Amino acid sequence: MWFNTTTSPFLLTGFPGMEKAHHLISIPLLVAYISILLGNGTLLFLIRDDHNLHEPMYYFLAMLAATDLGVTLTTMPTVLGVLWLNHREIGHGACFSQAYFIHTLSIVESGVLLAMAYDRFIAIRNPLRYAFILTDTQVIKIGVGVLARAGLSIMPIIIRLHWLPYCRSHILSHAFCLHQDVIKLACADITFNRLYPVVVVFAMVLLDFLIIFFSYILILKTVMGIASRDERAKALNTCVSHICCILVFYVTVVGLTFIHRFGKHVPHVVHITMSYIYFLFPPFMNPVIYSIKTKQIQIGIFRLFSLPCCKVRLTAL
């Protein structure tokens, strides 16, 4: 086994050829980061503080918000460091740790979306036993399982990065560390590190999507069997927010994958921009979606900020 004797730090990259505009580029990114922190932080506070939100559906939403916060807090320091201070150096240990958390949290998000689909499936297909099936203990077990699955599946390729020799250029393609970026700099057999992530993506992220898709077919079948039109609309309305979050997450995944696989002749800045969209768009949109589409979250926000213009509406609700 190879042992890494190279001590030179990796060099992160912002937007090549646009270094003079880094400060301007950082403004929308900073706004997005702050919005993500405020939006997901508010969701977590509401779910913890409001007893009306102490239900499995909202516990899973809290997991999603915590995951989005984790992704943001993992990437934000190095991105802003590069764009603001031109601080490009990052040690091997810090780089590998960042890559581990980025890739782990991506799989966690997929797992949480699957858990949320399971929640909606039970709520609509078996509503009378919902409270008995999804107890607080069961929700905790699901959350721990989602986290353990992601953390353990990513660990083998990250551990191996510590033992690879890096004798090529130490320049990475982004302002944060990604596994696929780091292995390009290794001077050793990286077959395992190339094939294993593909297996993980197919065995987890793709499988999660297929199970979610199949569960919604069964949900739709159940809803269509409800006699009352109003009841059908009410049942489907509880799924709208989750469906929107699924689309946001998986569309960005497909978009990023498509650009990386088939966009070899696309300008490098497009690849970089797509990476930022992947890490920023879902965490930004998820709180917005649930704030707009979920009445209980709206009520919680109105109460939290004590909006005078909404007091009449709260009373009506």
Side-chain angles (χ1 to χ4, degrees):
M1 185 175 287
W2 292 86
F3 183 77
N4 180 15
T5 57
T6 306
T7 57
S8 300
F10 294 119
L11 295 177
L12 301 171
T13 301
F15 290 81
M18 304 174 66
E19 286 79 7
K20 292 183 179 180
H22 273 181
H23 285 88
L24 289 176
I25 295 172
S26 70
I27 294 174
L29 290 177
L30 179 62
V31 171
Y33 277 129
I34 293 174
S35 300
I36 290 168
L37 294 176
L38 289 176
N40 289 284
T42 300
L43 280 182
L44 287 174
F45 179 80
L46 285 176
I47 294 168
R48 183 190 68 85
D49 192 60
D50 191 340
H51 291 286
N52 294 321
L53 301 179
H54 290 182
E55 299 177 8
M57 172 182 173
Y58 299 108
Y59 291 148
F60 289 127
L61 176 58
M63 294 179 195
L64 185 66
T67 302
D68 289 338
L69 279 177
V71 172
T72 301
L73 293 173
T74 299
T75 59
M76 184 171 66
T78 54
V79 170
L80 295 182
V82 170
L83 297 181
W84 280 353
L85 308 173
N86 196 33
H87 182 72
R88 298 180 58 196
E89 292 188 357
I90 184 170
H92 289 192
C95 183
F96 301 155
S97 297
Q98 186 183 47
Y100 174 76
F101 284 112
I102 287 175
H103 294 296
T104 295
L105 290 170
S106 294
I107 295 179
V108 168
E109 180 135 2
S110 177
V112 172
L113 290 173
L114 175 60
M116 296 171 81
Y118 176 66
D119 168 78
R120 293 298 85 205
F121 176 80
I122 298 298
I124 293 175
R125 293 275 293 188
N126 203 350
L128 297 179
R129 298 199 61 216
Y130 177 76
F132 296 98
I133 296 174
L134 280 177
T135 61
D136 289 352
T137 302
Q138 190 64 25
V139 170
I140 292 173
K141 287 181 179 179
I142 292 173
V144 171
V146 167
L147 187 61
R149 180 190 76 154
L152 293 176
S153 65
I154 294 298
M155 197 172 290
I157 54 174
I158 300 299
I159 289 177
R160 195 163 187 273
L161 291 180
H162 288 273
W163 297 93
L164 292 173
Y166 301 98
C167 54
R168 297 192 178 96
S169 166
H170 278 51
I171 300 175
L172 299 172
S173 302
H174 299 83
F176 39 79
C177 291
L178 298 174
H179 168 263
Q180 59 266 32
D181 247 6
V182 175
I183 59 171
K184 292 177 182 178
L185 309 180
C187 301
D189 183 8
I190 56 173
T191 302
F192 174 78
N193 284 66
R194 284 192 178 278
L195 296 180
Y196 182 83
V198 176
V199 174
V200 170
V201 168
F202 274 93
M204 294 187 186
V205 179
L206 181 59
L207 184 60
D208 288 351
F209 175 77
L210 292 175
I211 295 174
I212 291 170
F213 181 75
F214 181 68
S215 70
Y216 268 103
I217 291 177
L218 296 178
I219 287 172
L220 187 61
K221 182 180 178 181
T222 302
V223 171
M224 290 299 102
I226 299 175
S228 170
R229 182 176 179 179
D230 290 340
E231 289 297 320
R232 286 202 301 267
K234 184 178 179 181
L236 286 174
N237 192 54
T238 64
C239 301
V240 170
S241 298
H242 180 236
I243 292 172
C244 290
C245 290
I246 291 169
L247 291 175
V248 167
F249 177 74
Y250 284 104
V251 166
T252 53
V253 169
V254 171
L256 183 64
T257 303
F258 185 84
I259 286 291
H260 281 323
R261 297 294 180 187
F262 305 106
K264 294 182 180 179
H265 302 294
V266 174
H268 185 58
V269 68
V270 176
H271 289 258
I272 296 175
T273 303
M274 278 301 301
S275 296
Y276 283 108
I277 291 174
Y278 171 74
F279 288 114
L280 293 176
F281 190 59
F284 177 83
M285 287 302 300
N286 290 341
V288 173
I289 291 168
Y290 272 90
S291 297
I292 293 174
K293 291 293 184 180
T294 307
K295 184 183 293 185
Q296 290 293 342
I297 297 294
Q298 290 177 1
I299 294 172
I301 292 174
F302 295 153
R303 285 175 178 164
L304 177 63
F305 294 103
S306 300
L307 299 178
C309 64
C310 301
K311 287 182 179 179
V312 175
R313 183 178 176 183
L314 277 175
T315 303
L317 291 173

